[in-house]
């Protein structure tokens, strides 16, 4: 089975903090993705990576950056967290034409 | 660009009722189509998929057929259970590029005993 693991399920951070969300997949997938999910807005793509050290902006990259130093790990970084980044964050990786998701990370910025 | 439209929810059904959740798409190429399910507090799980016209995806009693002529991929189940209560997302892989997923807005299903 494909396994996508997000290290933190629930986080509470203060405004202005730097936040790291970590995602690991164990299937040697090249493509990995970060989405955020908000009520009424559905799932929106923040960033994706198609190989180590390679990244592309998605639909809503503002306020975020990413890091892909190793193939299995794709990190989402909030340089200075703000309350409008309170959301559920979903990591995913691609196997052939199918994308598999992690369990999600609930981030609250206070 | 490519897009997915699915019926608005919530859909409320009694146990053992027949379920249909409509999904239509717009795409310039030949996308693969997916249904994902999200149970409360969890991430998205792949429910089923179809990669070409007339393919039928099926899993856990759910089915959907890739209809190119009507650009549809409706989700059906003959007899729903309380445990099927969740949000269902229709999605397609974008034509070309890196095959990013494009999602519909999601449809919440509530099944009552």
């Amino acid at each position: 089975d494909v396994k996508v693991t997000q290290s933190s399920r629930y986080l509470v951070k203060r405004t202005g903090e730097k936040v790291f969300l970590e995602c690991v997949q164990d299937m040697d997938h090249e493509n990995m993705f970060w989405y955020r999910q908000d009520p009424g807005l559905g799932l929106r793509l923040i960033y994706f990576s198609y190989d180590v050290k390679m990244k592309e902006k998605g639909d809503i990259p503002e306020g975020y950056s990413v890091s892909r130093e190793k193939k299995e790990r794709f990190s989402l970084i909030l340089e200075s967290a703000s309350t409008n980044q309170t959301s559920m964050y979903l990591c995913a990786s691609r196997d052939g034409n199918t994308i598999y998701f992690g369990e999600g990370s609930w981030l609250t910025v206070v | 660009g490519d897009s997915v439209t699915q019926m608005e929810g919530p859909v409320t059904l009694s146990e053992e009722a027949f379920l249909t959740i409509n999904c239509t798409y717009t795409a310039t190429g030949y996308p693969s189509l997916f249904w994902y399910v999200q149970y409360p507090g969890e991430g998205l799980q792949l429910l089923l998929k179809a990669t070409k016209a007339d393919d039928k995806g099926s899993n856990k009693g759910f089915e959907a057929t890739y209809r190119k002529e009507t650009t549809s991929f409706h989700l059906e189940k003959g007899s729903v259970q309380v445990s099927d209560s969740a949000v269902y997302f229709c999605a397609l892989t974008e034509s070309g590029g890196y095959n990013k997923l494009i999602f519909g807005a999601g449809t919440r299903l509530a099944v009552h005993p």
Side-chain angles (χ1 to χ4, degrees), chain B residues 33-103:
Chain B
L33 301 174
F34 304 84
W35 278 101
Y36 285 85
V37 59
Q38 186 176 35
Y39 298 102
E42 298 185 10
L44 273 68
Q45 299 177 23
L46 178 65
L47 182 59
L48 53 83
K49 68 178 183 180
T51 58
K52 61 183 187 298
D54 299 323
D55 266 3
K56 177 186 282 189
S58 62
N59 185 26
K60 299 181 181 180
F62 291 89
E63 293 182 340
T65 301
Y66 190 143
R67 301 284 189 201
K68 190 171 183 296
E69 63 277 12
T70 55
T71 62
S72 65
F73 193 54
H74 304 322
L75 182 68
E76 296 182 335
K77 187 175 185 183
S79 176
V80 293
Q81 305 299 312
V82 172
S83 57
D84 293 326
S85 299
V87 180
Y88 293 82
F89 292 91
C90 185
L92 61 80
T93 47
E94 186 184 52
S95 306
Y98 297 103
N99 285 349
K100 294 178 289 182
L101 268 179
I102 296 172
F103 286 92

Coordinates of all heavy atoms in Angstrom, one line a residue, chain B residues 33-103:
Chain B
L33 N -10.1 10.1 -14.4 CA -11.2 10.6 -13.5 C -11.1 9.8 -12.2 O -10.9 8.6 -12.2 CB -12.5 10.5 -14.1 CG -12.7 11.2 -15.4 CD1 -14.1 10.9 -16.1 CD2 -12.5 12.7 -15.2
F34 N -11.4 10.5 -11.1 CA -11.3 9.9 -9.8 C -12.5 10.3 -8.9 O -13.1 11.4 -9.0 CB -10.0 10.4 -9.1 CG -8.8 10.1 -9.9 CD1 -8.4 11.0 -10.8 CD2 -8.0 9.0 -9.6 CE1 -7.2 10.8 -11.6 CE2 -6.8 8.8 -10.3 CZ -6.5 9.7 -11.3
W35 N -12.8 9.4 -7.9 CA -13.6 9.8 -6.8 C -12.8 9.5 -5.5 O -12.2 8.4 -5.3 CB -14.9 9.0 -6.7 CG -16.0 9.5 -7.6 CD1 -16.4 9.0 -8.8 CD2 -16.8 10.6 -7.3 NE1 -17.4 9.8 -9.3 CE2 -17.7 10.7 -8.4 CE3 -17.0 11.5 -6.2 CZ2 -18.7 11.7 -8.4 CZ3 -17.9 12.4 -6.2 CH2 -18.8 12.6 -7.3
Y36 N -12.7 10.6 -4.7 CA -12.1 10.5 -3.4 C -13.1 10.6 -2.3 O -14.1 11.3 -2.5 CB -11.0 11.6 -3.2 CG -9.8 11.4 -4.0 CD1 -9.7 11.8 -5.3 CD2 -8.6 10.8 -3.4 CE1 -8.5 11.6 -6.0 CE2 -7.5 10.6 -4.1 CZ -7.4 11.0 -5.4 OH -6.2 10.8 -6.1
V37 N -12.9 10.0 -1.1 CA -13.8 10.1 0.0 C -13.0 10.6 1.2 O -11.9 10.3 1.4 CB -14.5 8.7 0.3 CG1 -13.5 7.7 0.6 CG2 -15.5 8.9 1.4
Q38 N -13.7 11.5 1.9 CA -13.1 12.1 3.1 C -14.0 11.9 4.3 O -15.1 12.5 4.4 CB -12.8 13.6 3.0 CG -12.0 14.2 4.1 CD -11.7 15.6 3.9 OE1 -12.4 16.4 3.3 NE2 -10.5 16.0 4.4
Y39 N -13.6 11.0 5.2 CA -14.4 10.8 6.5 C -14.0 11.9 7.5 O -12.9 12.5 7.4 CB -14.0 9.4 7.0 CG -14.4 8.3 6.1 CD1 -13.5 7.6 5.3 CD2 -15.8 8.0 6.0 CE1 -13.9 6.7 4.5 CE2 -16.1 7.0 5.1 CZ -15.2 6.3 4.3 OH -15.6 5.3 3.4
P40 N -14.9 12.2 8.4 CA -14.7 13.3 9.3 C -13.3 13.3 10.0 O -12.9 12.3 10.5 CB -15.8 13.1 10.4 CG -16.9 12.4 9.6 CD -16.2 11.5 8.7
G41 N -12.6 14.4 9.9 CA -11.3 14.6 10.5 C -10.2 13.9 9.9 O -9.1 13.9 10.4
E42 N -10.4 13.3 8.7 CA -9.3 12.6 8.0 C -9.0 13.2 6.7 O -9.6 14.1 6.2 CB -9.8 11.1 7.8 CG -10.1 10.4 9.1 CD -10.4 8.9 8.9 OE1 -10.2 8.4 7.8 OE2 -10.8 8.3 9.9
G43 N -7.9 12.6 6.1 CA -7.5 13.0 4.8 C -8.3 12.4 3.7 O -9.4 11.8 4.0
L44 N -7.9 12.5 2.5 CA -8.7 12.0 1.4 C -8.2 10.6 1.0 O -7.0 10.3 1.0 CB -8.5 12.9 0.1 CG -9.5 14.0 -0.1 CD1 -9.3 15.1 1.0 CD2 -9.4 14.6 -1.5
Q45 N -9.2 9.7 0.8 CA -8.8 8.3 0.4 C -9.3 8.1 -1.0 O -10.5 8.5 -1.4 CB -9.5 7.3 1.3 CG -9.1 7.4 2.7 CD -9.9 6.4 3.6 OE1 -10.4 5.4 3.1 NE2 -9.9 6.7 4.9
L46 N -8.5 7.5 -1.8 CA -9.0 7.2 -3.2 C -10.0 6.1 -3.1 O -9.9 5.1 -2.5 CB -7.8 6.7 -4.0 CG -8.1 6.2 -5.4 CD1 -8.6 7.4 -6.3 CD2 -6.9 5.5 -6.1
L47 N -11.2 6.4 -3.7 CA -12.3 5.5 -3.7 C -12.3 4.6 -5.0 O -12.4 3.4 -4.9 CB -13.6 6.2 -3.6 CG -14.9 5.4 -3.5 CD1 -14.9 4.4 -2.3 CD2 -16.1 6.3 -3.4
L48 N -12.2 5.3 -6.1 CA -12.2 4.6 -7.4 C -11.6 5.5 -8.5 O -11.6 6.7 -8.3 CB -13.5 4.0 -7.8 CG -14.7 4.9 -7.8 CD1 -14.8 5.6 -9.1 CD2 -16.0 4.1 -7.6
K49 N -11.3 4.9 -9.6 CA -10.8 5.7 -10.7 C -11.1 5.0 -12.0 O -11.4 3.8 -12.1 CB -9.3 5.9 -10.6 CG -8.5 4.6 -10.8 CD -7.0 4.9 -10.7 CE -6.1 3.6 -11.0 NZ -4.7 3.9 -10.9
A50 N -11.0 5.8 -13.1 CA -11.2 5.3 -14.5 C -10.2 6.1 -15.4 O -10.2 7.4 -15.2 CB -12.6 5.4 -14.9
T51 N -9.5 5.5 -16.2 CA -8.5 6.2 -17.0 C -8.8 6.4 -18.4 O -8.1 7.2 -19.1 CB -7.2 5.4 -16.9 OG1 -7.4 4.0 -17.4 CG2 -6.7 5.3 -15.5
K52 N -9.9 5.8 -18.9 CA -10.3 6.1 -20.3 C -11.8 5.9 -20.5 O -12.5 5.3 -19.6 CB -9.5 5.2 -21.3 CG -9.8 3.7 -21.1 CD -8.9 2.9 -22.1 CE -9.2 1.4 -22.1 NZ -8.9 0.8 -20.8
A53 N -12.3 6.4 -21.6 CA -13.7 6.4 -21.9 C -14.3 4.9 -21.8 O -13.7 4.0 -22.2 CB -14.0 6.9 -23.3
D54 N -15.5 4.9 -21.2 CA -16.2 3.6 -21.0 C -15.7 2.7 -19.9 O -16.3 1.7 -19.6 CB -16.4 2.8 -22.3 CG -17.1 3.6 -23.3 OD1 -18.1 4.4 -23.0 OD2 -16.8 3.5 -24.5
D55 N -14.6 3.1 -19.3 CA -14.0 2.4 -18.1 C -15.0 2.5 -17.0 O -15.6 3.6 -16.8 CB -12.7 2.9 -17.7 CG -11.5 2.2 -18.3 OD1 -11.8 1.3 -19.1 OD2 -10.4 2.5 -17.9
K56 N -15.2 1.5 -16.2 CA -16.0 1.6 -15.0 C -15.0 1.3 -13.8 O -14.4 0.3 -13.7 CB -17.1 0.5 -15.0 CG -17.9 0.5 -13.7 CD -18.9 -0.6 -13.6 CE -20.1 -0.3 -14.4 NZ -21.2 -1.3 -14.2
G57 N -15.0 2.3 -12.9 CA -14.3 2.1 -11.6 C -15.2 1.6 -10.6 O -16.4 2.0 -10.5
S58 N -14.7 0.7 -9.7 CA -15.6 0.2 -8.6 C -14.8 -0.1 -7.4 O -13.6 -0.5 -7.5 CB -16.4 -1.0 -9.1 OG -15.5 -2.1 -9.4
N59 N -15.4 0.0 -6.2 CA -14.8 -0.3 -5.0 C -15.8 -0.1 -3.9 O -16.6 0.8 -3.8 CB -13.6 0.7 -4.7 CG -12.8 0.4 -3.5 OD1 -12.7 -0.8 -3.1 ND2 -12.2 1.4 -2.9
K60 N -15.8 -1.1 -2.9 CA -16.7 -1.0 -1.7 C -18.1 -0.8 -2.1 O -18.9 -0.2 -1.4 CB -16.2 0.1 -0.8 CG -14.8 0.0 -0.3 CD -14.5 1.1 0.7 CE -13.1 1.0 1.2 NZ -12.7 2.1 2.1
G61 N -18.6 -1.3 -3.2 CA -20.0 -1.2 -3.6 C -20.3 0.0 -4.4 O -21.4 0.2 -5.0
F62 N -19.3 0.9 -4.5 CA -19.5 2.2 -5.3 C -19.0 1.9 -6.7 O -18.1 1.1 -7.0 CB -18.6 3.3 -4.7 CG -19.1 3.8 -3.4 CD1 -18.7 3.3 -2.2 CD2 -20.0 4.9 -3.4 CE1 -19.1 3.7 -1.0 CE2 -20.5 5.4 -2.1 CZ -20.0 4.8 -1.0
E63 N -19.7 2.6 -7.7 CA -19.3 2.5 -9.1 C -19.4 3.8 -9.8 O -20.2 4.7 -9.4 CB -20.3 1.5 -9.8 CG -20.2 0.1 -9.4 CD -21.1 -0.8 -10.3 OE1 -22.1 -0.2 -10.9 OE2 -20.9 -2.0 -10.3
A64 N -18.6 4.0 -10.8 CA -18.7 5.2 -11.6 C -18.2 4.8 -13.0 O -17.1 4.1 -13.1 CB -17.9 6.4 -11.1
T65 N -18.8 5.3 -14.1 CA -18.4 5.0 -15.4 C -18.0 6.3 -16.1 O -18.7 7.3 -16.1 CB -19.6 4.4 -16.2 OG1 -20.0 3.1 -15.5 CG2 -19.2 4.0 -17.6
Y66 N -16.9 6.2 -16.8 CA -16.3 7.4 -17.5 C -17.1 7.5 -18.8 O -17.0 6.7 -19.8 CB -14.8 7.0 -17.8 CG -14.0 8.1 -18.4 CD1 -12.6 8.2 -18.0 CD2 -14.4 9.0 -19.3 CE1 -11.8 9.1 -18.5 CE2 -13.5 9.9 -19.8 CZ -12.2 10.0 -19.4 OH -11.3 10.9 -19.9
R67 N -17.9 8.6 -18.9 CA -18.7 8.8 -20.1 C -18.2 10.0 -20.9 O -18.4 11.1 -20.5 CB -20.2 9.1 -19.7 CG -20.8 8.0 -18.9 CD -21.2 6.8 -19.7 NE -22.1 5.8 -19.0 CZ -22.2 4.6 -19.4 NH1 -21.6 4.1 -20.5 NH2 -23.0 3.8 -18.6
K68 N -17.5 9.7 -21.9 CA -16.9 10.8 -22.7 C -18.0 11.6 -23.4 O -17.9 12.8 -23.5 CB -15.9 10.2 -23.7 CG -15.0 11.3 -24.4 CD -13.9 10.6 -25.1 CE -12.9 11.6 -25.7 NZ -13.6 12.4 -26.7
E69 N -19.0 11.0 -23.9 CA -20.0 11.7 -24.7 C -20.8 12.7 -23.9 O -21.2 13.7 -24.4 CB -21.0 10.7 -25.4 CG -21.8 9.8 -24.4 CD -21.1 8.6 -23.9 OE1 -19.8 8.5 -24.1 OE2 -21.8 7.8 -23.3
T70 N -21.0 12.4 -22.6 CA -21.7 13.3 -21.7 C -20.7 14.0 -20.7 O -21.2 14.8 -19.9 CB -22.8 12.6 -20.9 OG1 -22.2 11.5 -20.2 CG2 -23.9 12.1 -21.8
T71 N -19.4 13.8 -20.9 CA -18.4 14.3 -20.0 C -18.8 14.2 -18.5 O -18.8 15.1 -17.8 CB -18.0 15.8 -20.3 OG1 -19.1 16.6 -20.1 CG2 -17.5 15.9 -21.7
S72 N -19.2 12.9 -18.1 CA -19.7 12.7 -16.8 C -19.0 11.5 -16.1 O -18.4 10.7 -16.8 CB -21.2 12.5 -16.8 OG -21.5 11.3 -17.5
F73 N -19.0 11.5 -14.8 CA -18.4 10.4 -14.0 C -19.2 10.3 -12.7 O -18.7 10.5 -11.6 CB -17.0 10.7 -13.8 CG -16.2 9.6 -13.2 CD1 -16.1 8.3 -13.9 CD2 -15.4 9.7 -12.1 CE1 -15.4 7.3 -13.4 CE2 -14.6 8.7 -11.6 CZ -14.6 7.5 -12.3
H74 N -20.5 10.0 -12.9 CA -21.4 9.9 -11.7 C -21.1 8.8 -10.8 O -20.9 7.6 -11.2 CB -22.9 9.8 -12.2 CG -23.3 10.9 -13.1 ND1 -22.8 12.2 -13.0 CD2 -24.1 10.9 -14.2 CE1 -23.3 13.0 -14.0 NE2 -24.1 12.2 -14.8
L75 N -21.2 9.0 -9.5 CA -20.9 8.0 -8.5 C -22.2 7.4 -8.1 O -23.2 8.1 -7.8 CB -20.2 8.6 -7.3 CG -19.8 7.7 -6.1 CD1 -18.7 6.7 -6.6 CD2 -19.4 8.5 -4.9
E76 N -22.3 6.1 -8.0 CA -23.5 5.4 -7.6 C -23.2 4.3 -6.6 O -22.1 3.7 -6.6 CB -24.2 4.7 -8.8 CG -24.6 5.7 -9.8 CD -25.3 5.1 -11.0 OE1 -25.1 3.9 -11.3 OE2 -26.2 5.8 -11.7
K77 N -24.2 4.0 -5.7 CA -24.1 2.8 -4.8 C -25.5 2.4 -4.6 O -26.4 3.2 -4.4 CB -23.5 3.2 -3.5 CG -23.2 1.9 -2.6 CD -22.5 2.2 -1.4 CE -22.2 0.9 -0.6 NZ -21.5 1.1 0.7
G78 N -25.7 1.1 -4.7 CA -27.1 0.5 -4.7 C -27.7 0.6 -3.3 O -28.9 0.7 -3.2
S79 N -26.9 0.5 -2.2 CA -27.5 0.4 -0.9 C -26.5 1.0 0.1 O -25.5 0.4 0.4 CB -27.8 -1.0 -0.5 OG -28.3 -1.2 0.8
V80 N -26.8 2.3 0.5 CA -25.8 2.9 1.3 C -26.0 2.5 2.8 O -27.0 2.1 3.2 CB -26.0 4.5 1.2 CG1 -25.6 4.9 -0.2 CG2 -27.4 4.9 1.6
Q81 N -24.9 2.7 3.5 CA -24.8 2.4 4.9 C -24.5 3.7 5.7 O -23.9 4.6 5.2 CB -23.8 1.3 5.2 CG -24.0 0.0 4.4 CD -25.3 -0.6 4.7 OE1 -25.7 -0.8 5.8 NE2 -26.0 -1.0 3.6
V82 N -24.8 3.6 7.0 CA -24.5 4.8 7.9 C -23.0 5.1 7.8 O -22.5 6.3 7.7 CB -24.9 4.5 9.3 CG1 -24.3 5.6 10.2 CG2 -26.4 4.4 9.4
S83 N -22.1 4.1 7.6 CA -20.7 4.2 7.6 C -20.2 4.9 6.3 O -19.0 5.3 6.2 CB -20.0 2.9 7.7 OG -20.4 2.0 6.7
D84 N -21.1 5.1 5.3 CA -20.7 5.8 4.1 C -20.8 7.3 4.2 O -20.5 8.0 3.3 CB -21.7 5.3 2.9 CG -21.4 3.9 2.5 OD1 -20.3 3.4 2.6 OD2 -22.4 3.2 2.2
S85 N -21.3 7.8 5.4 CA -21.4 9.2 5.6 C -20.1 9.8 5.5 O -19.2 9.4 6.3 CB -22.1 9.5 7.0 OG -23.4 8.9 7.0
A86 N -19.9 10.8 4.6 CA -18.6 11.4 4.4 C -18.8 12.5 3.3 O -19.9 12.7 2.9 CB -17.6 10.3 3.8
V87 N -17.6 13.1 3.0 CA -17.7 14.0 1.8 C -17.0 13.3 0.7 O -15.9 12.8 0.8 CB -16.9 15.3 2.2 CG1 -16.9 16.3 1.0 CG2 -17.6 16.0 3.4
Y88 N -17.6 13.4 -0.5 CA -17.1 12.8 -1.7 C -16.7 13.8 -2.7 O -17.4 14.8 -3.0 CB -18.2 11.9 -2.3 CG -18.5 10.7 -1.4 CD1 -19.4 10.9 -0.3 CD2 -17.9 9.5 -1.6 CE1 -19.6 9.8 0.5 CE2 -18.2 8.4 -0.8 CZ -19.0 8.6 0.3 OH -19.3 7.5 1.1
F89 N -15.5 13.6 -3.2 CA -14.9 14.6 -4.2 C -14.6 13.9 -5.5 O -14.0 12.8 -5.6 CB -13.5 15.1 -3.7 CG -13.6 16.0 -2.5 CD1 -13.5 15.4 -1.2 CD2 -13.7 17.3 -2.6 CE1 -13.5 16.3 -0.1 CE2 -13.8 18.2 -1.5 CZ -13.7 17.6 -0.2
C90 N -15.1 14.5 -6.6 CA -14.8 14.1 -7.9 C -13.6 14.9 -8.4 O -13.4 16.1 -8.0 CB -16.0 14.4 -8.8 SG -15.8 13.8 -10.5
A91 N -12.7 14.3 -9.1 CA -11.5 14.9 -9.6 C -11.0 14.4 -10.9 O -11.4 13.3 -11.3 CB -10.4 14.8 -8.5
L92 N -10.2 15.2 -11.6 CA -9.6 14.8 -12.8 C -8.1 15.2 -12.8 O -7.7 16.1 -12.1 CB -10.3 15.3 -14.0 CG -10.3 16.8 -14.3 CD1 -9.1 17.4 -14.8 CD2 -11.5 17.1 -15.3
T93 N -7.3 14.5 -13.5 CA -5.9 14.9 -13.7 C -5.8 15.8 -14.9 O -6.4 15.5 -15.9 CB -5.0 13.7 -13.9 OG1 -5.5 12.8 -14.9 CG2 -4.7 12.9 -12.6
E94 N -5.2 16.9 -14.6 CA -5.1 18.0 -15.6 C -4.4 17.4 -16.9 O -3.5 16.6 -16.8 CB -4.2 19.1 -15.0 CG -4.0 20.3 -15.8 CD -3.1 21.3 -15.1 OE1 -2.0 20.8 -14.8 OE2 -3.4 22.4 -15.0
S95 N -4.9 17.9 -18.0 CA -4.3 17.5 -19.3 C -2.9 18.0 -19.4 O -2.6 19.2 -19.3 CB -5.1 18.0 -20.4 OG -6.5 17.6 -20.3
G96 N -1.9 17.1 -19.7 CA -0.5 17.5 -19.9 C 0.1 18.0 -18.6 O -0.4 17.8 -17.5
G97 N 1.3 18.6 -18.7 CA 2.0 19.1 -17.5 C 2.3 18.0 -16.5 O 2.7 16.9 -16.9
Y98 N 2.1 18.2 -15.3 CA 2.5 17.3 -14.2 C 1.3 16.5 -13.7 O 1.3 16.0 -12.6 CB 3.2 18.1 -13.1 CG 4.5 18.7 -13.6 CD1 4.6 20.0 -13.9 CD2 5.6 17.9 -13.9 CE1 5.7 20.6 -14.4 CE2 6.8 18.4 -14.4 CZ 6.8 19.8 -14.6 OH 8.0 20.3 -15.1
N99 N 0.2 16.5 -14.4 CA -1.0 15.7 -14.0 C -1.5 16.1 -12.6 O -1.8 15.3 -11.8 CB -0.6 14.2 -14.0 CG -0.6 13.6 -15.4 OD1 -1.0 14.3 -16.3 ND2 -0.1 12.4 -15.5
K100 N -1.5 17.4 -12.4 CA -2.1 17.8 -11.1 C -3.6 17.5 -11.1 O -4.3 17.4 -12.1 CB -2.0 19.4 -11.0 CG -0.6 19.9 -10.9 CD -0.5 21.4 -10.8 CE -0.9 22.0 -12.2 NZ -0.8 23.4 -12.2
L101 N -4.1 17.3 -9.8 CA -5.5 17.0 -9.7 C -6.3 18.3 -9.6 O -5.9 19.2 -8.9 CB -5.7 16.2 -8.3 CG -5.7 14.7 -8.4 CD1 -5.9 14.2 -6.9 CD2 -6.7 14.1 -9.3
I102 N -7.4 18.2 -10.3 CA -8.4 19.3 -10.2 C -9.7 18.7 -9.6 O -10.2 17.8 -10.0 CB -8.7 19.9 -11.6 CG1 -7.4 20.6 -12.1 CG2 -9.8 20.9 -11.5 CD1 -7.5 21.0 -13.5
F103 N -10.1 19.4 -8.5 CA -11.2 18.8 -7.7 C -12.5 19.5 -7.9 O -12.5 20.8 -8.2 CB -10.9 19.0 -6.2 CG -9.8 18.0 -5.7 CD1 -8.5 18.3 -5.7 CD2 -10.2 16.7 -5.2 CE1 -7.6 17.5 -5.2 CE2 -9.3 15.8 -4.8 CZ -7.9 16.2 -4.8

